[in-house]
Amino acid sequence: MHTTTRVVDTVNMLEGPGAARPYHHGNLRAALIATAVDQARAGGADAVVLRDAARRTGVSHNAAYRHFADRDDLLAEVSERAMAELEQRMRDRLADLPDDDRGEPASARLRAVGREYVHFALAEPGLFATAFACARPKDGAPGQGPYGVLSTMLDELVTTGVLPAERRPGADVTCWAAVHGLAVLCLQGPLRDLSEREREEQLDGLLERLSRGL
Amino acid sequence: MHTTTRVVDTVNMLEGPGAARPYHHGNLRAALIATAVDQARAGGADAVVLRDAARRTGVSHNAAYRHFADRDDLLAEVSERAMAELEQRMRDRLADLPDDDRGEPASARLRAVGREYVHFALAEPGLFATAFACARPKDGAPGQGPYGVLSTMLDELVTTGVLPAERRPGADVTCWAAVHGLAVLCLQGPLRDLSEREREEQLDGLLERLSRGL
DNA sequence: GTGTGCATGTTGCCGGTGTCCACATCGCGT
DNA sequence: ACGCGATGTGGACACCGGCAACATGCACAC
């Protein structure tokens, strides 16, 4: 899609000072999204501002409307990237786990994923909030996204025999809700002022209770 | 505070058509908050708009600045009311419980509170979101608010002997996070399109796993 | 090679909002 | 009675999202 035979490098458009970009940017859509992601990272969904994004990208306002129907459309794109980054972090965390934990209690893997979920939320509050602030319901494949990762973990628990199969349905939602709730409460809720240590303790407690109740 | 000897009724200022309100409204602060709460109820925090609130209250824009430092200040007030309404609903739900449940598993009462929490979020999404969308961290007494209700329930569980005392610390956060997370995911997350029945099932599952894991 | 069509980017404009400033009005205490 | 301070008003500015009309230049047909 969007094939082009233009000579200019359409990917690495980090313009130098005297770049004098051509009339046609060549990569505007991606560049705008990147700028908007920066905005979201810095200040959440509200900080995603069309005019400012265009300005920072070195293009006039309104240029964005050739690539996005409206602000919400751009925001949806940012939300998607944020969600993807969250998923990637969870997968990376899983991959980093020592193989020792591979065979033994798969619940350790589940805990690691949950912990990473909360850590991401606290490390990237803007992106985390934007990931879920999308007004447009973008229906993705059910096995994809952070939910997919979590779901896979739980399936693993069943095959390992740790989790009785009859208790599997609904377990994903419970796990997700608990972890998501803690993240939200720590970000904008009454747990905002917890120290890092207290937060970690609460997270540990939650994960323990969660696996106990599965 | 704000004592007044004026003759006009400062409480019930639902102006009739030919009311011709005096130059000084007499009750502006409360009236503006009420209007803002309506806005929040209808569309969440973003729908709280100073100029529109002033307009609807029948006063010029800028009048609000005599009572609120800025928009965030008004929003904080709305957030407080929303939180109070959530708390009230939880307390009402508790009071409505038949006395039969009084002595028996106090966990039933805990479940009822949790269920009401989610129900409120779904019934009043705007207020629920605004309750937590406050930028200003308003530190209330720790025993107050929805958290206080929940905390009391858990203390009850300990005195009833259902919950071992050593497991009490942190249990409040876990419960709150789980219920809050489910609410958020149903409102703006990927569980948005669940049918009422599915939602109720997931809620049941969550509450069951929660009490099992306490 | 040349010329035109269409995607892309630009300037201009409108309505709406938050916030500051100067001014108007009126209640209350001296 | 009077004047001061609290309260409300109108105007102005900057910013934003979104439309419309215009400009530019790449791509493809011939």
Side-chain angles (χ1 to χ4, degrees):
Chain A
M1 61 281 298
H2 201 285
T3 60
T4 175
T5 17
R6 295 188 59 232
V7 193
V8 290
D9 176 11
T10 71
V11 169
N12 202 351
M13 297 287 293
L14 311 171
E15 67 263 42
R21 255 183 299 82
Y23 189 84
H24 287 88
H25 183 290
N27 206 17
L28 227 200
R29 181 179 174 89
L32 281 175
I33 294 180
T35 307
V37 167
D38 285 347
Q39 291 179 324
R41 193 187 307 272
D46 286 346
V48 175
V49 174
L50 265 183
R51 290 177 99 102
D52 185 56
R55 206 176 304 138
R56 283 203 235 171
T57 314
V59 92
S60 107
H61 73 275
N62 263 337
Y65 286 95
R66 300 295 170 185
H67 301 275
F68 306 96
D70 54 8
R71 177 179 172 278
D72 275 357
D73 197 18
L74 171 59
L75 202 55
E77 215 68 35
V78 176
S79 166
E80 205 170 303
R81 310 302 162 110
M83 198 70 87
E85 185 161 337
L86 169 57
E87 176 184 1
Q88 195 52 49
R89 293 248 195 142
M90 290 166 67
R91 292 198 187 279
D92 287 353
R93 183 80 191 77
L94 264 186
D96 287 353
L97 271 187
D99 290 355
D100 311 0
D101 289 359
R102 208 85 189 184
E104 72 169 315
S107 67
R109 285 162 60 75
L110 178 66
R111 262 197 285 265
V113 174
R115 197 182 309 276
E116 184 66 13
Y117 192 94
V118 177
H119 283 173
F120 175 80
L122 292 171
E124 293 284 5
L127 283 187
F128 181 77
T130 309
F132 292 91
C134 177
R136 308 226 206 284
K138 19 114 228 178
D139 37 15
Q144 291 304 97
Y147 174 75
V149 180
L150 175 65
S151 206
T152 305
M153 303 279 46
L154 286 170
D155 287 343
E156 226 174 85
L157 277 185
V158 173
T159 61
T160 322
V162 180
L163 177 65
E166 69 270 19
R167 284 202 186 158
R168 173 64 181 80
D172 38 22
V173 169
T174 297
C175 291
W176 198 359
V179 162
H180 189 82
L182 183 63
V184 172
L185 289 182
C186 285
L187 282 183
Q188 40 160 242
L191 276 52
R192 192 173 356 197
D193 302 324
L194 255 50
S195 73
E196 168 127 8
R197 216 175 54 80
E198 288 170 314
R199 247 189 282 116
E200 216 62 28
E201 284 175 7
Q202 294 293 354
L203 176 53
D204 284 341
L206 181 138
L207 291 174
E208 186 177 331
R209 277 175 246 267
L210 200 55
S211 55
R212 186 162 52 221
L214 274 187
Chain B
M1 59 285 298
H2 202 284
T3 60
T4 174
T5 17
R6 294 187 61 231
V7 193
V8 289
D9 175 12
T10 71
V11 170
N12 202 351
M13 297 286 295
L14 311 172
E15 66 265 38
R21 254 184 299 84
Y23 189 84
H24 287 88
H25 183 290
N27 206 17
L28 227 200
R29 182 179 172 89
L32 280 175
I33 293 180
T35 309
V37 167
D38 285 347
Q39 292 178 323
R41 194 188 306 273
D46 285 346
V48 175
V49 173
L50 267 183
R51 290 177 100 106
D52 185 57
R55 206 175 304 140
R56 283 202 235 173
T57 313
V59 92
S60 106
H61 73 277
N62 260 337
Y65 285 93
R66 300 296 168 183
H67 303 273
F68 306 96
D70 54 10
R71 178 180 173 277
D72 275 357
D73 196 18
L74 171 60
L75 202 55
E77 216 66 36
V78 176
S79 166
E80 205 169 304
R81 311 300 162 110
M83 199 70 87
E85 184 162 339
L86 169 57
E87 176 185 1
Q88 195 52 50
R89 293 250 195 140
M90 289 165 69
R91 292 198 187 279
D92 288 353
R93 183 78 191 78
L94 264 186
D96 286 353
L97 271 188
D99 289 354
D100 312 358
D101 290 359
R102 209 84 189 185
E104 72 169 314
S107 66
R109 285 163 60 76
L110 178 66
R111 262 197 286 265
V113 174
R115 197 182 308 277
E116 185 66 13
Y117 191 95
V118 177
H119 283 172
F120 175 80
L122 293 171
E124 293 284 5
L127 283 187
F128 181 77
T130 310
F132 293 91
C134 177
R136 308 228 206 281
K138 23 122 218 163
D139 37 15
Q144 290 303 97
Y147 174 76
V149 181
L150 176 64
S151 207
T152 305
M153 302 279 49
L154 286 169
D155 288 342
E156 226 174 86
L157 278 186
V158 173
T159 61
T160 323
V162 181
L163 177 64
E166 69 270 19
R167 284 200 185 159
R168 173 64 181 80
D172 38 23
V173 170
T174 298
C175 290
W176 199 358
V179 162
H180 189 83
L182 183 63
V184 172
L185 289 183
C186 285
L187 282 183
Q188 42 160 240
L191 275 53
R192 192 173 357 196
D193 302 323
L194 254 52
S195 74
E196 169 127 8
R197 218 175 54 80
E198 289 170 313
R199 247 190 281 118
E200 216 62 28
E201 285 176 6
Q202 294 293 353
L203 176 53
D204 284 339
L206 181 138
L207 291 173
E208 186 177 330
R209 278 174 246 266
L210 201 54
S211 55
R212 185 162 52 220
L214 273 187

